[in-house]
Amino acid sequence: MWKRFIMVKCNLCNQEFGRITETHLWYKHKMHFSRFIKQFPEVNIGPMSWNKGDTKADNPGLLRLSNTLRIKKEWNFSKWQREKRPVTKYKKLLKGGNLSELIGIILGDGNLNKHPRTENLRITRNSNDTGYIEHVSSLITKVFYKHPSIRKRNDENAISVDLYQCKISERLNIPCGNKIKNNVGVPDWVFLNKDYMRRCLKGLFETDGCFHEDLKNYTRCMEFKNNCARLRKDAHNILLKLGFNLQLGTNYVRLARRNEVYRFKELIDFRNYN
Ligand SMILES: [Zn+2]
C-alpha cells in the first residue's frame, strides 16, 4: 500500500534514497536538516518511516527503559540536566505558502494538545489517503524542520501524523484544545497575500471541504463545512477577496456557480495526490 518503491534524490550528491535522512545530510555534507530544507524548500524528502512513534505498549525495549528510569529517581544525567541544560529557543515559523496551507489543514482537521513538557500536533486521516498523508508530513517537515511520526492506528481505519515539539501553539498562533470553544480563525498575515490566501483555502477545503457533482441534474458545488463560526467567516472573506460568489449557510460556505466551482478546483489544485 505504501509507496516505498519511489526513490528520491539528494539535491547535493544526486544519490538516490527511499528517503533523505538527517544522518545522510550530516555525514556526507556536514549540513543540518533544517538548512537543507531552507535551501531546497521544494525538495521531496521521501515517505516517512513507520517505526517511529513506538510506545511502551508495543516496544519492550522502551518499556524496560521506562521502568528503569522510574525506579531510579536520579538518572546519570540528572545533575547535568539541572545545571547545564541549554535553554532551547524555538525560531519563529517562516511565514509563507507552506505555513498558510498547514494552518488551513490544522484549522480544518488538526488537533493541538498540551502535555506537561511538550505539545502535540496531530492530524488524523483515513488510511486510504496515503498521498495526502505524505503531503501533510512533508508540509510539517518544511515548516518545523522536523519529521513527524506516522502511525497506523490499530483500532481504526486511520493514520495519524504526529509532531511533538515545544511552543507549537504559540508559534502557530492557534490555541491548544477545542477549536470551536476557542473560536479559532485564520491569522491576519494570511490575508496580506493572494498566494497565502489560496494555500490556506487549499488546506481548509482539502480537509473539511467536499466536491459534489451531480451530472444528471447538471449541478456541482464545492462546500466547506465547519462548526466554528469565525473560521467560516474567514473562509468566506478569503473567497470574496479572490473574486468568488458564494452562499453562506448555518454551518457551511458553498460555491455553486458552475464555472466558479471548476475555477476554484483548479486554483487550489484540489486533492491531486497520486
Ligand atoms: Zn547527499
Side-chain angles (χ1 to χ4, degrees):
M1 171 182 84
W2 199 253
K3 291 183 278 179
R4 281 213 184 280
F5 47 88
I6 291 179
M7 301 294 275
V8 290
K9 248 186 196 167
C10 169
N11 299 38
L12 297 165
C13 62
N14 274 333
Q15 204 179 324
E16 289 202 334
F17 301 95
R19 169 172 178 245
I20 298 173
T21 61
E22 280 127 292
T23 320
H24 168 78
L25 292 173
W26 184 247
Y27 284 101
K28 274 270 156 92
H29 311 297
K30 287 281 170 280
M31 185 185 252
H32 285 296
F33 193 56
S34 54
R35 231 188 85 209
F36 180 75
I37 292 182
K38 260 183 213 161
Q39 199 166 331
F40 307 103
E42 295 314 314
V43 68
N44 177 6
I45 41 182
M48 312 293 149
S49 59
W50 287 91
N51 53 357
K52 272 192 170 183
D54 280 0
T55 63
K56 284 181 276 183
D58 51 42
N59 183 330
L62 267 183
L63 178 66
R64 225 169 22 244
L65 181 67
S66 155
N67 286 341
T68 316
L69 289 179
R70 205 177 51 217
I71 295 161
K72 274 173 91 169
K73 283 199 181 105
E74 284 263 298
W75 64 302
N76 302 347
F77 296 104
S78 294
K79 192 164 172 253
W80 173 84
Q81 209 174 26
R82 271 196 307 273
E83 290 166 3
K84 300 268 169 67
R85 197 162 119 196
V87 180
T88 316
K89 283 212 176 117
Y90 290 91
K91 283 188 196 129
K92 277 190 185 164
L93 303 178
L94 191 69
K95 289 183 176 129
N98 287 335
L99 179 58
S100 53
E101 183 176 340
L102 185 62
I103 285 176
I105 293 171
I106 297 168
L107 292 174
D109 198 20
N111 282 297
L112 277 173
N113 286 301
K114 221 175 172 48
H115 296 284
R117 290 202 192 94
T118 185
E119 287 176 4
N120 167 231
L121 163 64
R122 171 170 294 172
I123 291 155
T124 308
R125 299 293 295 189
N126 188 292
S127 349
N128 302 325
D129 282 345
T130 47
Y132 191 67
I133 291 160
E134 262 188 64
H135 175 71
V136 172
S137 314
S138 140
L139 267 181
I140 291 179
T141 309
K142 285 170 187 170
V143 168
F144 288 96
Y145 307 124
K146 186 180 174 187
H147 282 299
S149 60
I150 304 176
R151 292 185 68 199
K152 175 132 176 48
R153 307 262 280 263
N154 295 330
D155 44 335
E156 302 146 70
N157 194 19
I159 289 178
S160 62
V161 180
D162 275 288
L163 179 82
Y164 288 90
Q165 207 169 64
C166 290
K167 299 187 192 291
I168 297 180
S169 151
E170 184 188 308
R171 285 177 296 158
L172 286 171
N173 203 4
I174 300 173
C176 285
N178 188 308
K179 285 180 287 185
I180 297 166
K181 224 188 259 171
N182 288 320
N183 200 23
V184 293
V186 176
D188 295 338
W189 62 267
V190 172
F191 291 87
L192 298 175
N193 175 309
K194 271 199 174 161
D195 191 56
Y196 299 169
M197 290 194 276
R198 182 184 69 80
R199 294 285 299 272
C200 187
L201 276 185
K202 181 178 169 66
L204 288 170
F205 272 80
E206 284 185 340
T207 53
D208 267 357
C210 58
F211 173 63
H212 301 289
E213 195 169 35
D214 183 349
L215 292 174
K216 226 163 128 196
N217 296 314
Y218 301 102
T219 59
R220 59 270 296 138
C221 73
M222 192 78 157
E223 203 172 68
F224 171 70
K225 263 194 177 156
N226 194 287
N227 289 320
C228 177
R230 186 174 151 212
L231 198 54
R232 284 198 306 273
K233 212 186 90 204
D234 285 347
H236 181 238
N237 278 341
I238 293 179
L239 281 162
L240 285 179
K241 279 181 192 250
L242 296 178
F244 291 95
N245 290 288
L246 4 91
Q247 303 166 351
L248 187 59
T250 45
N251 68 342
Y252 64 85
V253 176
R254 182 186 292 154
L255 281 168
R257 291 190 189 177
R258 185 175 162 182
N259 55 341
E260 291 202 345
V261 170
Y262 289 116
R263 176 161 76 93
F264 179 71
K265 235 181 129 203
E266 208 159 285
L267 178 78
I268 66 167
D269 197 14
F270 187 71
R271 282 187 194 148
N272 250 333
Y273 305 102
N274 286 308

